[in-house]
Amino acid sequence: NNLAYIYKSEHTNSSIGNNVLERICNLSDGDMRKAINILQSICMDKKPLQNKIYLEKIEQIYSFIPDKDFESIVDILFSKDDINVKIKK
């Protein structure tokens, strides 16, 4: 993977997770320049971060709803239960 190679050349003592690379690839929609820009934007810190932090940065920068929150929203929307009860939880 080209993104993993780019990351490794900048951060020689660490690696980036496949889940982070997959999220970047999905966001960039096959555009390598966009993928590199996303990678650069989440790697602004001088030291490497945990993969969870990289995913959180992607969500913050690109205004994503975290997966767990999205699943909760979908559950609420398709639930036959009273929505007010679900929201209060």
Side-chain angles (χ1 to χ4, degrees), residues 1-7 9-11 16 20-21 23-44 58 61-62:
N1 185 321
N2 291 333
L3 287 178
Y5 174 78
I6 292 169
Y7 179 87
S9 67
E10 302 268 333
H11 301 91
I16 193 164
V20 177
L21 294 173
R23 180 66 62 105
I24 293 171
C25 289
N26 288 339
L27 267 175
S28 65
D29 199 27
D31 183 336
M32 188 62 176
R33 183 176 298 168
K34 187 173 182 180
I36 292 170
N37 286 333
I38 294 168
L39 181 64
Q40 287 175 328
S41 68
I42 65 169
C43 294
M44 297 294 269
I58 290 171
I61 293 168
Y62 294 94

Side-chain angles (χ1 to χ4, degrees), residues 51-64:
N51 287 319
K52 178 182 174 192
I53 306 285
Y54 285 132
L55 288 173
E56 288 172 2
K57 284 184 141 205
I58 290 171
E59 290 169 354
Q60 290 171 355
I61 293 168
Y62 294 94
S63 300
F64 272 105

